[in-house]
Amino acid sequence: MSEELKFVQTPSQTIGPFFGFALPIERGEQLVPGHRAGAIRLHGTVTDGAGEPVIDAVVEAWQADETGAISTECGVLARDGYGFTGFGRTSTNLAGAYSFTTVKPGAVGRSAPYVLITIFARGLTRHLFTRAYFPEDVDAHAGDAVLSAAGGRAGTLVSVADGDGSYRFDIRLQGENETVYLDFDA
Amino acid sequence: MTTQSEITAEIEAAEADAARRVAGGELPALQPRLDYPAYRSTGLRHPTHELMRADPEEIERVSPTFGHSDVNVLESDLTIQHAGEPIGERITVSGRVLDGEGRPVRGQLIEVWQANSAGRYVHKRDQHPAPLDPNFSGVGRAITGDDGGYRFTTIRPGPYPWLNHVNAWRPAHIHFSLFGTAFTQRLITQMYFPGDPLFALDPIYQSITDPAARARLLGHYTHDDSVPEFSLGYRWDIVLTGPRATWMEAEGSDV
């Protein structure tokens, strides 16, 4: 075998401030259309250390479907109004709010069900990864490695049911109840 | 409001601090600091807790699947999106996307966006008095080839002012958004042009405190990539993180 070559990672740079004309994709917030059976809303507000809304963030979601299967279908950007591609992208609005229409993922591996969330913004020199778990999966949470490691801050990773099929997941970049962000060492 | 010389002093202090840490045995930082005071917007937006180490689960070790149903091949030419020719210096930017083991990252989406040759973005919040070019939108997309290669034809962007401090100007750059074969490889970055006099003054570029790491953001002028009577060529390779994921050949993909 050839000797292992180590290539050095390219540094990240901020997305901001003027991505608004380039990155949003049509219906990007819809991992499934809202009328699909079992559709849920996953939404929240991105706030900074002063509690002010972050109005220029991009939020991406990547998740398994209801059964825990991961989509390998080509055509993630185009939304045909029927399929599930597992990937969503949206921007925060003038209130710092974002909203996805999706399905509740099934569990993948040993972890409790969650949606992987990525946040980009002006002032973020690197994007941040976090996970949005669901409040009803109490038993599964007990065995989840990330929630266990998060200890007293684990609550920032669990969304709050706030209506029929609606879950609120607020993202705090800094300050009180600062969201737990993940480094995958990958 | 803060002056450039105050910002420059902060930049120099941060770099000296980084050099001291390396001299003290720490590894050079490959990534920008999340908390970089000279870039004022990081102040209230950087997390104050250490990022938490996590083992990626299967969903994090794979990535969305893109294909030519998503991206028209014409989208990699930013100079043909309108009826007329855009104004400015026509360039090609090409290179390869590799993972941490040097393997090509194939069939993955690259998105680019940039200012026009006058330093103006097609964005309603960009209101500085440089002209918009009716023949240039500054947005392109491509899918990497079997060798991880990509190629864009575009116009060299101009520097533009921003409001971090008095007389703040961004060095000319092109934003790149990349997906790898694992979602943990996701990257948004900026390619710069060699020899820019604004580098030392720019807190976004300098938020990467290690000089060698910063230099990885420079495209290189390569005369062999220049096309006679047409364009100047720049080359820039991008390295994503080395996936701990098992390497899988894309099956049934249309790349």
Side-chain angles (χ1 to χ4, degrees), chain B residues 132-210:
Chain B
L132 283 168
D133 184 339
N135 291 315
F136 191 73
S137 302
V139 182
R141 297 190 298 181
I143 302 281
T144 55
D146 278 348
D147 62 349
Y150 74 88
R151 181 185 187 84
F152 289 99
T153 302
T154 184
I155 296 293
R156 182 171 171 143
Y160 62 87
W162 60 307
L163 298 172
N164 188 67
H165 55 278
V166 174
N167 210 12
W169 292 81
R170 293 296 333 276
H173 60 273
I174 299 175
H175 291 263
F176 277 68
S177 163
L178 299 118
F179 291 82
T181 51
F183 205 83
T184 52
Q185 293 178 305
R186 184 85 178 87
L187 177 69
I188 288 183
T189 185
Q190 303 175 18
M191 187 203 90
Y192 297 87
F193 294 84
D196 196 314
L198 295 168
F199 285 152
L201 309 177
D202 178 44
I204 291 180
Y205 181 63
Q206 299 289 337
S207 65
I208 306 158
T209 53
D210 179 56

Side-chain angles (χ1 to χ4, degrees), chain B residues 224-244:
Chain B
D224 285 349
D225 287 334
S226 293
V227 180
E229 313 302 316
F230 186 74
S231 64
L232 294 180
Y234 289 87
R235 187 158 292 204
W236 189 47
D237 290 341
I238 302 152
V239 180
L240 306 179
T241 54
R244 297 203 300 196

